[in-house]
Amino acid sequence: MNFSFDIKHSEGNSLARVGTITTPHGQIQTPAFIPVGTKATVKSVLPEAMADLGAQALLANAYHLYLQPGPDILDEAGGLGEFMNWPGPTITDSGGFQVLSLGVGFKKVLAMDAKTFRRDDVIADNKERLAHVDDEGVTFKSHLDGSMHRFTPEISMQVQHQIGADIMFAFDECTTLHNTRRYQELAMDRTYAWALRCLDEHKRLTDERIGKPYQALFGVIQGAQYEDLRKKAATDLGSMQSSGQSFDGFGIGGALDKSALGTILTWVNQILPADKPKHLLGIGAPEDLFVGVENGIDTFDCVLASRIARTSAVYTMEGRFNLSNSRFKRDFTAIDDECDCYTCTHYTRAYMHHVFRGKEMVSATLATIHNERFIVRLVDQMRQALIDGNFADMKADFLGRYKHRSGQASN
Ligand SMILES: [Zn+2]
Protein backbone atom coordinates (compact mmCIF):
# COMPACT_ATOMS: atom_id res chain seq x y z
CA MET A 1 0.00 0.00 0.00
CA ASN A 2 3.06 2.23 0.37
CA PHE A 3 1.64 4.62 2.95
CA SER A 4 2.72 4.40 6.56
CA PHE A 5 3.31 6.45 9.68
CA ASP A 6 6.03 5.49 12.14
CA ILE A 7 6.32 7.21 15.50
CA LYS A 8 9.97 7.58 16.49
CA HIS A 9 9.52 9.44 19.76
CA SER A 10 6.60 10.34 22.05
CA GLU A 11 6.63 12.89 24.84
CA GLY A 12 5.68 11.56 28.25
CA ASN A 13 3.90 14.67 29.48
CA SER A 14 2.08 15.82 26.34
CA LEU A 15 0.62 14.48 23.08
CA ALA A 16 3.65 15.69 21.09
CA ARG A 17 5.50 13.14 18.98
CA VAL A 18 8.14 12.79 16.27
CA GLY A 19 7.51 10.51 13.31
CA THR A 20 7.87 9.72 9.64
CA ILE A 21 5.07 9.64 7.07
CA THR A 22 6.01 7.48 4.09
CA THR A 23 4.27 8.08 0.76
CA PRO A 24 4.91 6.75 -2.77
CA HIS A 25 6.72 10.04 -3.51
CA GLY A 26 8.92 10.15 -0.44
CA GLN A 27 8.89 10.74 3.28
CA ILE A 28 7.80 13.59 5.54
CA GLN A 29 9.63 13.90 8.85
CA THR A 30 7.07 15.13 11.39
CA PRO A 31 6.12 17.49 12.92
CA ALA A 32 6.31 19.37 9.60
CA PHE A 33 4.91 22.50 8.04
CA ILE A 34 3.56 21.90 4.52
CA PRO A 35 3.56 25.03 2.30
CA VAL A 36 0.49 25.67 0.15
CA GLY A 37 0.52 25.79 -3.64
CA THR A 38 -3.20 26.33 -4.14
CA LYS A 39 -3.27 26.05 -7.93
CA ALA A 40 -0.26 23.71 -8.31
CA THR A 41 2.13 26.61 -7.74
CA VAL A 42 3.43 28.32 -4.64
CA LYS A 43 2.78 31.85 -5.87
CA SER A 44 5.94 33.54 -7.21
CA VAL A 45 8.34 30.73 -6.17
CA LEU A 46 9.72 27.78 -8.17
CA PRO A 47 9.25 24.27 -6.75
CA GLU A 48 13.05 23.93 -6.84
CA ALA A 49 13.33 26.88 -4.45
CA MET A 50 10.70 25.31 -2.19
CA ALA A 51 12.81 22.14 -2.03
CA ASP A 52 15.92 24.22 -1.31
CA LEU A 53 14.22 25.98 1.60
CA GLY A 54 13.34 22.65 3.17
CA ALA A 55 9.70 22.08 2.18
CA GLN A 56 9.08 18.33 2.47
CA ALA A 57 5.67 18.32 0.73
CA LEU A 58 3.26 20.75 -0.92
CA LEU A 59 -0.51 21.06 -0.52
CA ALA A 60 -2.78 22.06 -3.41
CA ASN A 61 -6.49 22.73 -3.55
CA ALA A 62 -8.94 20.35 -5.23
CA TYR A 63 -11.56 23.06 -5.83
CA HIS A 64 -9.20 25.35 -7.72
CA LEU A 65 -7.64 22.55 -9.77
CA TYR A 66 -11.10 21.16 -10.58
CA LEU A 67 -12.14 24.49 -12.07
CA GLN A 68 -8.79 25.14 -13.74
CA PRO A 69 -7.16 23.35 -15.55
CA GLY A 70 -9.50 20.43 -14.71
CA PRO A 71 -8.56 17.19 -12.92
CA ASP A 72 -8.36 15.21 -16.20
CA ILE A 73 -5.41 17.38 -17.28
CA LEU A 74 -3.51 16.54 -14.08
CA ASP A 75 -4.37 12.85 -14.49
CA GLU A 76 -3.05 12.90 -18.04
CA ALA A 77 0.13 14.67 -16.87
CA GLY A 78 0.82 11.84 -14.42
CA GLY A 79 -0.54 13.54 -11.33
CA LEU A 80 -0.05 16.78 -9.43
CA GLY A 81 3.66 16.36 -8.60
CA GLU A 82 4.63 15.43 -12.13
CA PHE A 83 2.51 18.26 -13.56
CA MET A 84 4.13 20.96 -11.39
CA ASN A 85 7.68 19.54 -11.37
CA TRP A 86 7.58 18.68 -7.66
CA PRO A 87 9.01 15.19 -7.13
CA GLY A 88 8.18 15.00 -3.41
CA PRO A 89 4.96 14.16 -1.55
CA THR A 90 1.80 16.12 -2.37
CA ILE A 91 -1.48 16.70 -0.56
CA THR A 92 -4.86 17.99 -1.71
CA ASP A 93 -7.62 19.31 0.48
CA SER A 94 -11.12 18.18 -0.46
CA GLY A 95 -12.46 21.45 -1.79
CA GLY A 96 -15.14 21.42 0.91
CA PHE A 97 -13.98 24.64 2.51
CA GLN A 98 -13.66 26.47 -0.80
CA VAL A 99 -16.98 25.45 -2.33
CA LEU A 100 -18.64 26.80 0.79
CA SER A 101 -16.52 29.89 1.20
CA LEU A 102 -15.43 31.44 -2.08
CA GLY A 103 -17.61 34.20 -3.31
CA VAL A 104 -19.54 34.57 -0.09
CA GLY A 105 -16.92 36.24 2.05
CA PHE A 106 -17.04 33.25 4.37
CA LYS A 107 -13.39 33.70 5.32
CA LYS A 108 -14.14 37.20 6.48
CA VAL A 109 -16.93 35.82 8.61
CA LEU A 110 -14.70 33.06 10.00
CA ALA A 111 -12.26 35.69 11.15
CA MET A 112 -14.84 37.75 13.02
CA ASP A 113 -15.50 37.65 16.72
CA ALA A 114 -17.50 34.56 17.58
CA LYS A 115 -19.90 36.58 19.68
CA THR A 116 -20.75 39.12 16.99
CA PHE A 117 -23.72 37.24 15.61
CA ARG A 118 -25.07 33.77 15.13
CA ARG A 119 -27.01 32.59 12.16
CA ASP A 120 -26.79 29.85 9.58
CA ASP A 121 -26.70 31.88 6.40
CA VAL A 122 -23.64 33.88 7.39
CA ILE A 123 -22.05 35.78 4.56
CA ALA A 124 -20.04 38.97 4.38
CA ASP A 125 -21.71 42.29 3.57
CA ASN A 126 -22.49 42.89 -0.11
CA LYS A 127 -21.96 39.24 -1.01
CA GLU A 128 -24.47 36.85 -2.50
CA ARG A 129 -24.48 33.32 -1.16
CA LEU A 130 -23.11 31.18 -3.98
CA ALA A 131 -23.21 27.72 -2.41
CA HIS A 132 -26.15 25.62 -1.30
CA VAL A 133 -25.74 22.55 0.87
CA ASP A 134 -28.10 19.58 0.91
CA ASP A 135 -27.69 16.07 2.27
CA GLU A 136 -26.24 14.82 -1.00
CA GLY A 137 -23.65 17.51 -1.61
CA VAL A 138 -23.01 21.17 -2.41
CA THR A 139 -24.10 23.16 -5.46
CA PHE A 140 -21.93 26.18 -6.04
CA LYS A 141 -21.12 28.92 -8.50
CA SER A 142 -17.58 29.15 -9.88
CA HIS A 143 -15.75 32.22 -8.62
CA LEU A 144 -14.03 32.34 -12.03
CA ASP A 145 -16.90 32.52 -14.51
CA GLY A 146 -20.14 32.15 -12.55
CA SER A 147 -20.88 28.68 -14.00
CA MET A 148 -22.78 26.26 -11.75
CA HIS A 149 -21.12 23.11 -10.36
CA ARG A 150 -21.85 20.37 -7.88
CA PHE A 151 -19.55 18.56 -5.45
CA THR A 152 -20.63 15.39 -3.70
CA PRO A 153 -18.41 13.10 -1.62
CA GLU A 154 -18.09 10.85 -4.68
CA ILE A 155 -17.16 13.71 -7.02
CA SER A 156 -14.60 15.05 -4.54
CA MET A 157 -12.98 11.60 -4.38
CA GLN A 158 -12.99 11.29 -8.18
CA VAL A 159 -11.45 14.74 -8.57
CA GLN A 160 -8.79 14.05 -5.93
CA HIS A 161 -7.92 10.66 -7.41
CA GLN A 162 -7.44 12.29 -10.80
CA ILE A 163 -5.29 15.05 -9.28
CA GLY A 164 -3.25 12.22 -7.81
CA ALA A 165 -1.84 13.65 -4.55
CA ASP A 166 -0.32 11.23 -2.02
CA ILE A 167 -2.68 12.41 0.73
CA MET A 168 -6.30 13.45 0.18
CA PHE A 169 -9.05 14.62 2.52
CA ALA A 170 -12.63 13.42 2.84
CA PHE A 171 -15.31 15.86 1.71
CA ASP A 172 -16.84 17.57 4.72
CA GLU A 173 -19.15 20.44 5.53
CA CYS A 174 -17.13 23.25 7.04
CA THR A 175 -19.10 25.48 9.40
CA THR A 176 -18.26 28.75 11.13
CA LEU A 177 -18.31 29.71 14.80
CA HIS A 178 -21.45 31.71 14.01
CA ASN A 179 -23.62 28.77 13.07
CA THR A 180 -26.15 27.73 15.69
CA ARG A 181 -25.58 24.65 17.81
CA ARG A 182 -28.46 22.96 15.97
CA TYR A 183 -26.82 23.63 12.60
CA GLN A 184 -23.45 22.32 13.85
CA GLU A 185 -25.21 19.05 14.73
CA LEU A 186 -26.79 18.83 11.27
CA ALA A 187 -23.45 19.54 9.60
CA MET A 188 -21.79 16.86 11.76
CA ASP A 189 -24.38 14.28 10.74
CA ARG A 190 -23.78 15.19 7.10
CA THR A 191 -20.00 15.03 7.50
CA TYR A 192 -20.39 11.58 9.08
CA ALA A 193 -22.52 10.29 6.20
CA TRP A 194 -20.20 11.89 3.65
CA ALA A 195 -17.14 10.31 5.32
CA LEU A 196 -18.66 6.84 4.81
CA ARG A 197 -19.39 7.65 1.17
CA CYS A 198 -15.82 8.96 0.70
CA LEU A 199 -14.38 5.68 2.06
CA ASP A 200 -16.58 3.65 -0.31
CA GLU A 201 -15.75 5.73 -3.36
CA HIS A 202 -12.07 5.86 -2.41
CA LYS A 203 -11.97 2.06 -2.21
CA ARG A 204 -13.75 1.74 -5.56
CA LEU A 205 -11.37 4.17 -7.27
CA THR A 206 -8.27 2.59 -5.68
CA ASP A 207 -9.35 -0.79 -7.07
CA GLU A 208 -10.30 0.65 -10.45
CA ARG A 209 -7.13 2.68 -11.00
CA ILE A 210 -4.73 -0.27 -10.80
CA GLY A 211 -1.10 0.65 -11.26
CA LYS A 212 -1.45 4.18 -9.84
CA PRO A 213 0.50 5.02 -6.65
CA TYR A 214 -1.61 4.54 -3.49
CA GLN A 215 -3.33 7.71 -2.32
CA ALA A 216 -4.01 7.94 1.40
CA LEU A 217 -7.34 9.32 2.63
CA PHE A 218 -7.68 11.41 5.79
CA GLY A 219 -11.04 11.95 7.54
CA VAL A 220 -11.87 15.47 8.75
CA ILE A 221 -12.90 16.16 12.34
CA GLN A 222 -15.46 18.95 12.66
CA GLY A 223 -17.57 20.08 15.63
CA ALA A 224 -16.59 23.73 16.02
CA GLN A 225 -16.11 24.78 19.66
CA TYR A 226 -18.33 22.09 21.20
CA GLU A 227 -16.62 19.45 23.31
CA ASP A 228 -19.29 16.79 22.85
CA LEU A 229 -19.42 17.30 19.08
CA ARG A 230 -15.64 17.25 18.63
CA LYS A 231 -15.33 14.12 20.77
CA LYS A 232 -18.19 12.41 18.93
CA ALA A 233 -16.59 13.22 15.56
CA ALA A 234 -13.23 11.84 16.77
CA THR A 235 -14.88 8.68 18.10
CA ASP A 236 -16.99 8.11 14.98
CA LEU A 237 -14.36 8.84 12.33
CA GLY A 238 -11.51 7.34 14.34
CA SER A 239 -13.14 3.90 14.25
CA MET A 240 -15.02 4.28 10.96
CA GLN A 241 -14.72 1.43 8.48
CA SER A 242 -16.47 0.93 5.18
CA SER A 243 -15.72 -1.33 2.21
CA GLY A 244 -12.92 -2.74 4.37
CA GLN A 245 -11.29 0.67 4.38
CA SER A 246 -10.55 2.99 7.29
CA PHE A 247 -8.98 6.45 7.27
CA ASP A 248 -5.19 6.59 6.91
CA GLY A 249 -5.00 9.74 9.03
CA PHE A 250 -7.09 12.69 10.16
CA GLY A 251 -7.46 16.38 9.55
CA ILE A 252 -8.67 18.69 12.30
CA GLY A 253 -10.75 21.31 10.57
CA GLY A 254 -13.49 23.84 10.74
CA ALA A 255 -14.15 26.73 12.98
CA LEU A 256 -11.46 27.06 15.61
CA ASP A 257 -11.43 29.84 18.15
CA LYS A 258 -7.71 30.56 18.48
CA SER A 259 -7.88 30.76 22.26
CA ALA A 260 -9.45 27.27 22.41
CA LEU A 261 -7.11 25.63 19.91
CA GLY A 262 -5.12 23.60 22.45
CA THR A 263 -8.25 22.43 24.27
CA ILE A 264 -9.97 21.31 21.07
CA LEU A 265 -6.89 19.46 19.86
CA THR A 266 -6.58 17.66 23.21
CA TRP A 267 -10.24 16.56 23.05
CA VAL A 268 -9.86 14.98 19.62
CA ASN A 269 -6.28 13.71 19.69
CA GLN A 270 -6.84 11.81 22.95
CA ILE A 271 -9.58 9.87 21.13
CA LEU A 272 -8.27 9.49 17.57
CA PRO A 273 -6.02 6.44 16.95
CA ALA A 274 -2.55 7.43 18.24
CA ASP A 275 -0.77 5.53 15.48
CA LYS A 276 -2.26 7.61 12.65
CA PRO A 277 -1.03 11.04 11.48
CA LYS A 278 -2.98 14.19 12.39
CA HIS A 279 -3.04 17.27 10.18
CA LEU A 280 -4.21 20.69 11.36
CA LEU A 281 -5.94 22.36 8.43
CA GLY A 282 -5.16 25.97 7.61
CA ILE A 283 -3.28 27.01 10.77
CA GLY A 284 0.21 28.48 10.46
CA ALA A 285 0.90 31.45 12.74
CA PRO A 286 4.09 30.77 14.76
CA GLU A 287 2.41 30.79 18.19
CA ASP A 288 -0.32 28.40 16.97
CA LEU A 289 2.23 25.92 15.62
CA PHE A 290 3.59 25.38 19.13
CA VAL A 291 0.08 24.71 20.43
CA GLY A 292 -0.48 22.24 17.60
CA VAL A 293 2.75 20.33 18.09
CA GLU A 294 2.35 19.96 21.85
CA ASN A 295 -1.20 18.72 21.36
CA GLY A 296 -0.37 15.93 18.94
CA ILE A 297 -0.42 17.55 15.49
CA ASP A 298 2.01 16.01 12.98
CA THR A 299 1.53 18.25 9.92
CA PHE A 300 0.28 21.77 9.24
CA ASP A 301 -0.59 23.76 6.15
CA CYS A 302 -1.36 27.43 5.78
CA VAL A 303 -1.34 30.07 3.03
CA LEU A 304 -0.47 32.77 5.54
CA ALA A 305 3.34 32.73 5.09
CA SER A 306 3.18 33.35 1.33
CA ARG A 307 0.07 35.55 1.41
CA ILE A 308 1.48 38.05 3.88
CA ALA A 309 4.87 37.96 2.10
CA ARG A 310 3.24 39.46 -0.99
CA THR A 311 2.09 42.39 1.12
CA SER A 312 5.67 42.97 2.41
CA ALA A 313 5.03 41.40 5.83
CA VAL A 314 7.82 39.14 7.07
CA TYR A 315 8.40 36.94 10.10
CA THR A 316 11.58 37.42 12.11
CA MET A 317 12.79 36.21 15.47
CA GLU A 318 11.87 39.64 16.81
CA GLY A 319 8.32 39.49 15.46
CA ARG A 320 6.45 40.33 12.28
CA PHE A 321 6.97 43.61 10.40
CA ASN A 322 6.42 45.27 7.01
CA LEU A 323 9.41 45.81 4.72
CA SER A 324 7.69 48.69 2.95
CA ASN A 325 8.03 50.75 6.13
CA SER A 326 10.35 53.73 5.51
CA ARG A 327 12.55 52.81 8.47
CA PHE A 328 14.10 50.10 6.25
CA LYS A 329 15.16 52.46 3.45
CA ARG A 330 18.81 52.49 4.58
CA ASP A 331 18.84 49.23 6.54
CA PHE A 332 21.55 47.12 4.92
CA THR A 333 21.12 44.11 7.21
CA ALA A 334 19.30 40.87 6.39
CA ILE A 335 15.54 40.52 7.03
CA ASP A 336 16.48 38.20 9.90
CA ASP A 337 20.16 37.78 10.70
CA GLU A 338 19.49 34.32 12.18
CA CYS A 339 17.74 33.07 9.02
CA ASP A 340 19.64 30.84 6.58
CA CYS A 341 17.30 31.33 3.59
CA TYR A 342 18.44 32.44 0.12
CA THR A 343 16.92 35.89 0.58
CA CYS A 344 18.57 36.58 3.94
CA THR A 345 21.97 35.36 2.75
CA HIS A 346 21.92 37.47 -0.46
CA TYR A 347 19.71 40.55 0.04
CA THR A 348 19.22 43.41 2.49
CA ARG A 349 16.16 45.00 4.06
CA ALA A 350 16.99 48.15 2.08
CA TYR A 351 16.82 46.21 -1.20
CA MET A 352 13.59 44.50 -0.14
CA HIS A 353 12.14 47.90 0.80
CA HIS A 354 13.11 49.21 -2.64
CA VAL A 355 11.53 46.34 -4.63
CA PHE A 356 8.33 46.46 -2.58
CA ARG A 357 8.06 50.23 -3.02
CA GLY A 358 8.70 49.81 -6.75
CA LYS A 359 6.13 46.97 -6.95
CA GLU A 360 8.77 44.74 -8.56
CA MET A 361 7.69 41.11 -8.96
CA VAL A 362 10.88 39.84 -7.36
CA SER A 363 9.67 41.33 -4.05
CA ALA A 364 7.04 38.58 -3.75
CA THR A 365 9.55 35.88 -4.68
CA LEU A 366 12.20 36.94 -2.17
CA ALA A 367 9.79 37.62 0.69
CA THR A 368 7.92 34.34 0.13
CA ILE A 369 11.18 32.36 0.18
CA HIS A 370 12.03 33.97 3.52
CA ASN A 371 8.63 33.50 5.15
CA GLU A 372 8.21 29.90 4.01
CA ARG A 373 11.73 29.09 5.23
CA PHE A 374 11.03 30.78 8.55
CA ILE A 375 7.93 28.66 9.22
CA VAL A 376 9.30 25.40 7.80
CA ARG A 377 12.45 25.84 9.88
CA LEU A 378 10.52 26.76 13.02
CA VAL A 379 8.61 23.46 12.91
CA ASP A 380 11.85 21.62 12.03
CA GLN A 381 13.40 23.17 15.15
CA MET A 382 10.40 21.99 17.21
CA ARG A 383 10.97 18.47 15.87
CA GLN A 384 14.65 18.61 16.80
CA ALA A 385 13.79 20.01 20.24
CA LEU A 386 11.43 17.08 20.85
CA ILE A 387 14.20 14.67 19.89
CA ASP A 388 16.69 16.52 22.13
CA GLY A 389 14.22 16.69 25.01
CA ASN A 390 14.17 20.49 25.30
CA PHE A 391 10.90 21.48 23.62
CA ALA A 392 9.68 23.51 26.61
CA ASP A 393 12.88 25.59 26.69
CA MET A 394 12.85 26.10 22.93
CA LYS A 395 9.22 27.25 23.06
CA ALA A 396 9.84 29.65 25.96
CA ASP A 397 12.88 31.07 24.20
CA PHE A 398 11.06 31.62 20.91
CA LEU A 399 7.85 33.07 22.33
CA GLY A 400 9.84 35.27 24.68
CA ARG A 401 11.45 36.99 21.72
CA TYR A 402 8.74 36.74 19.10
CA LYS A 403 6.06 39.35 19.22
CA HIS A 404 3.70 40.85 16.70
CA ARG A 405 4.71 44.26 15.47
CA SER A 406 1.97 44.62 12.91
CA GLY A 407 -1.05 43.33 14.76
CA GLN A 408 -2.55 39.91 15.13
CA ALA A 409 -1.70 37.33 12.49
CA SER A 410 -4.80 35.96 10.86
CA ASN A 411 -5.91 33.94 7.90
ZN1 LIG B 1 15.31 34.47 5.51
Side-chain angles (χ1 to χ4, degrees):
M1 158 163 136
N2 218 357
F3 179 85
S4 62
F5 179 54
D6 301 301
I7 298 171
K8 307 264 155 87
H9 167 86
S10 290
E11 290 284 271
N13 55 355
S14 78
L15 292 167
R17 69 262 191 92
V18 175
T20 303
I21 295 172
T22 300
T23 78
H25 291 91
Q27 294 188 326
I28 304 169
Q29 306 304 329
T30 67
F33 178 77
I34 314 296
V36 177
T38 303
K39 303 180 200 173
T41 166
V42 177
K43 290 189 200 312
S44 82
V45 179
L46 291 173
E48 293 89 331
M50 294 307 295
D52 286 347
L53 67 81
Q56 301 186 68
L58 296 178
L59 181 143
N61 188 269
Y63 164 87
H64 288 93
L65 295 175
Y66 159 81
L67 288 178
Q68 191 182 56
D72 53 317
I73 304 286
L74 282 100
D75 201 13
E76 224 175 295
L80 173 62
E82 190 72 27
F83 185 54
M84 68 180 289
N85 189 32
W86 172 260
T90 50
I91 305 175
T92 42
D93 64 7
S94 70
F97 175 74
Q98 282 74 19
V99 300
L100 286 160
S101 66
L102 280 170
V104 299
F106 187 87
K107 277 183 195 170
K108 209 165 133 194
V109 173
L110 268 178
M112 287 168 69
D113 182 336
K115 294 177 185 69
T116 312
F117 61 91
R118 258 169 206 288
R119 54 193 169 92
D120 293 327
D121 56 347
V122 282
I123 57 169
D125 293 343
N126 308 318
K127 294 276 188 177
E128 175 200 353
R129 188 166 180 88
L130 300 181
H132 296 279
V133 188
D134 58 64
D135 287 346
E136 288 302 302
V138 183
T139 303
F140 59 96
K141 199 182 259 192
S142 160
H143 75 288
L144 295 177
D145 62 6
S147 55
M148 294 306 294
H149 299 265
R150 186 159 169 82
F151 260 28
T152 62
E154 289 77 17
I155 292 171
S156 173
M157 284 296 97
Q158 289 155 17
V159 166
Q160 291 190 79
H161 267 265
Q162 284 192 299
I163 293 172
D166 296 299
I167 297 172
M168 311 176 289
F169 284 93
F171 189 64
D172 62 314
E173 181 177 0
C174 183
T175 57
T176 75
L177 289 171
H178 311 286
N179 288 117
T180 57
R181 159 87 196 192
R182 178 68 196 129
Y183 193 86
Q184 302 286 4
E185 289 170 10
L186 284 173
M188 282 258 309
D189 289 346
R190 253 185 215 132
T191 293
Y192 178 86
W194 292 0
L196 282 170
R197 287 165 57 187
C198 283
L199 281 174
D200 292 341
E201 184 65 5
H202 171 54
K203 174 74 167 101
R204 190 186 73 75
L205 289 164
T206 302
D207 291 347
E208 184 182 278
R209 294 164 60 87
I210 307 162
K212 300 273 185 187
Y214 180 75
Q215 296 176 256
L217 179 61
F218 284 23
V220 178
I221 307 300
Q222 294 284 354
Q225 69 273 44
Y226 299 104
E227 182 174 2
D228 58 333
L229 297 186
R230 286 279 178 188
K231 286 183 168 174
K232 184 177 187 314
T235 305
D236 289 347
L237 272 76
S239 59
M240 183 176 277
Q241 271 216 336
S242 197
S243 304
Q245 182 91 36
S246 54
F247 288 114
D248 298 297
F250 299 92
I252 320 301
L256 287 165
D257 188 345
K258 243 172 121 84
S259 61
L261 179 62
T263 307
I264 291 170
L265 294 179
T266 306
W267 292 338
V268 302
N269 284 341
Q270 281 178 339
I271 292 173
L272 287 170
D275 60 350
K276 294 196 173 173
K278 320 290 182 340
H279 180 92
L280 183 55
L281 287 151
I283 301 278
E287 61 279 16
D288 296 334
L289 296 169
F290 282 97
V291 176
V293 165
E294 63 196 1
N295 288 290
I297 294 300
D298 304 299
T299 50
F300 300 86
D301 79 272
C302 191
V303 295
L304 198 59
S306 56
R307 182 178 291 161
I308 67 167
R310 297 194 296 278
T311 70
S312 92
V314 286
Y315 297 117
T316 76
M317 283 303 289
E318 312 303 323
R320 183 178 143 177
F321 58 74
N322 285 300
L323 290 164
S324 55
N325 192 305
S326 57
R327 72 190 162 103
F328 300 117
K329 196 172 181 181
R330 288 189 167 76
D331 187 338
F332 298 101
T333 62
I335 295 172
D336 184 342
D337 59 15
E338 290 175 44
C339 181
D340 60 0
C341 83
Y342 188 83
T343 304
C344 289
T345 51
H346 293 82
Y347 297 92
T348 63
R349 292 175 176 185
Y351 182 74
M352 293 302 297
H353 173 79
H354 159 67
V355 291
F356 269 113
R357 280 297 177 96
K359 298 188 167 52
E360 295 293 340
M361 287 187 280
V362 77
S363 61
T365 303
L366 293 173
T368 301
I369 286 172
H370 167 74
N371 274 359
E372 293 286 6
R373 174 62 187 155
F374 186 89
I375 300 294
V376 163
R377 185 170 175 235
L378 178 61
V379 180
D380 286 353
Q381 287 167 338
M382 292 184 206
R383 182 171 70 243
Q384 192 58 47
L386 288 170
I387 294 168
D388 296 341
N390 58 12
F391 182 83
D393 291 345
M394 183 253 165
K395 178 187 171 186
D397 179 55
F398 178 87
L399 294 179
R401 295 178 62 193
Y402 183 86
K403 49 202 172 294
H404 291 292
R405 289 201 175 163
S406 56
Q408 186 77 9
S410 75
N411 285 310

